[in-house]
Structures are given as structure tokens and as C-alpha cells.
Amino acid sequence: MLPDPFNDEAPLSSDPLEALEPIVRSSVNESVYQALRNKLMHGEYRAGQVLGIQYLADALGTSTMPVREALRRLVAQQGLEPMRNGTTRVPLITQARLDDIRRARTMIEGTVTEWAAPRLSPAVLDSLAQLAREITQARRTREGIATSLEQNRVFHFTIYQAAESPVMMAMIESLWLQSGSYLRATREFLHTDELPADQLHESTIEAIQQGDYARARKCIETDVAWVFDRLSPGTAGNGAAAGAIPFKK
């Protein structure tokens, strides 16, 4: 089993705030940050959702101080935005912003994959190949989507971290934080047998094992773009999920 690049939280639930478990680790500030960051990356918070400090503190079983610090860090990473009344919310988005995030993610994540590919050991590649198969299997049912989302994050970040580029990893993490609330709108499409992203995970590892790093890059770029294309009208994906997103006017 692959070591998780980050310290992860439990799978998704119908109520993301109730799903948060009390923090018992030594570094409370870091643990609270990781918990909220992972929820954002998984798309558990909808665009425009206000995250109340006291409510989050109660759900996590902590004081408000570490929650405030975590929210401050997430605002700095552009995963959240401050409001004039002192609250914090998940940002709304414009179509132009969504297109910009898509462009940045495909370029950066494709590049980092090509950098990382020669550094991945045979043992890690075998583990990634198994994980790719598990993602495919999990997406066969709606019940498996929550598991597949976390497996997908581990799959991508394991590859990216092999590039050993802290600068690029910081950009990737910020972009995933900004993407999460909008990508949740595509979950209903993730369990279909026709989904190309399933085969793209497996094809990525196959390409790396064959030394075809350019093809691995292309697979990751296509994988990232697939979800965004379901959100944007007029793309190859026909913007099928666009109606589920509260675009900023």
C-alpha cells in the first residue's frame, strides 16, 4: 500500500461538517489545517458555503484558535476567501476563472509528471498500478465514489512528490484547493463505465514503466482536463455539470 503523501482524513459523508472527527494528535494546529484542507480538496464544501469558526471548532473538538489559523492558511492558498463580516467562505467562481484553473492545472501537473516519471521506483510503480485498478473498481458504483476520490488524490500526489519540487507542489496543492468545490458537481459522472479517466490512470503508469514520459504527461493532462470539460459549456464534455455550480455573475 502506498504511503499517503499527506495525513489524510476519513472518506466523504453526506454532511461534511458532521463527518469531521475530534482531533487528538499532538500538533493541533497542523491537524486542523490538514482536516479542513482535505475536505476542500475532496469537494466536500460547496461553492459559496460559509465555514463558521465555532461550528468547525465544535465539530473538531478544539478551541477556535487552531481553526482560525487553519482558515487563515487556506485563505492564503486561495482555497477560501474572507468576507466583510469576518466570516470565511468557499469562493464562488467565474467561467473565466474556471478556465484559468483548468489551464494551469493541466500545464503544471503534466510538467511535474514528466519530471517525476524517471524518479519513480519499480516498487512504487507497482503500487500505483494497483491503486489505479482500485480506483477503476471503486468508480463502478456510486457508493465507491468517496473512496475513489481519496485514492485519486493519493495517486496523483504520489507521482508529483517524486519530482522533488516544493515550489510546484505548493502550486498544485493551491490549485486543488481552488478546484474542489466545483469538481464536486461532476461526481455523478464518475461511476460510469465509459469514463476515460479510469483508463488514463492505468495508462499513465504503463507509459512510465515503458519509459514514455511524454505519453505519461499527456495522460495526466487529459485526466485533469476531463473533469473541467464537464463544467464548461461549449467544450468536448458539453458542460454537463455546469448547471450544478453557482457561477459568480
Side-chain angles (χ1 to χ4, degrees), residues 125 128-129 132 155 199-213 215-216 219:
L125 287 171
L128 285 168
F155 179 89
Q199 289 71 44
L200 286 168
H201 287 129
E202 294 157 355
S203 296
T204 298
I205 302 307
E206 179 182 288
I208 295 174
Q209 290 172 327
Q210 295 174 353
D212 191 345
Y213 306 142
R215 183 162 73 92
C219 286

Side-chain angles (χ1 to χ4, degrees), residues 6 11 31 37 85-86 88 98 113 149 164 200 216 227-228 240:
F6 292 105
S31 296
R37 179 206 60 197
N85 62 3
T88 305
L98 187 66
T113 295
L149 288 171
E164 299 182 2
L200 286 168
V227 176
F228 283 91

Side-chain angles (χ1 to χ4, degrees), residues 121-218:
S121 69
V124 171
L125 287 171
D126 287 343
S127 295
L128 285 168
Q130 176 60 34
L131 185 57
R133 290 190 290 270
E134 291 174 3
I135 293 170
T136 298
Q137 185 61 35
R139 286 178 172 174
R140 292 296 178 250
T141 65
R142 289 185 181 275
E143 293 73 20
I145 295 305
T147 298
S148 75
L149 288 171
E150 176 58 13
Q151 290 172 326
N152 180 69
R153 187 186 67 78
V154 173
F155 179 89
H156 282 265
F157 277 64
T158 298
I159 293 174
Y160 302 155
Q161 285 204 324
E164 299 182 2
S165 175
V167 172
M168 293 293 254
M169 281 304 302
M171 287 192 285
I172 289 171
E173 184 171 349
S174 174
L175 288 167
W176 276 56
L177 286 170
Q178 295 176 62
S179 303
S181 62
Y182 314 109
L183 303 191
R184 66 178 283 145
T186 65
R187 288 181 192 170
E188 64 181 280
F189 301 100
L190 293 178
H191 71 283
T192 62
D193 290 335
E194 296 80 18
L195 183 67
D198 285 344
Q199 289 71 44
L200 286 168
H201 287 129
E202 294 157 355
S203 296
T204 298
I205 302 307
E206 179 182 288
I208 295 174
Q209 290 172 327
Q210 295 174 353
D212 191 345
Y213 306 142
R215 183 162 73 92
R217 172 179 182 155
K218 181 62 176 177

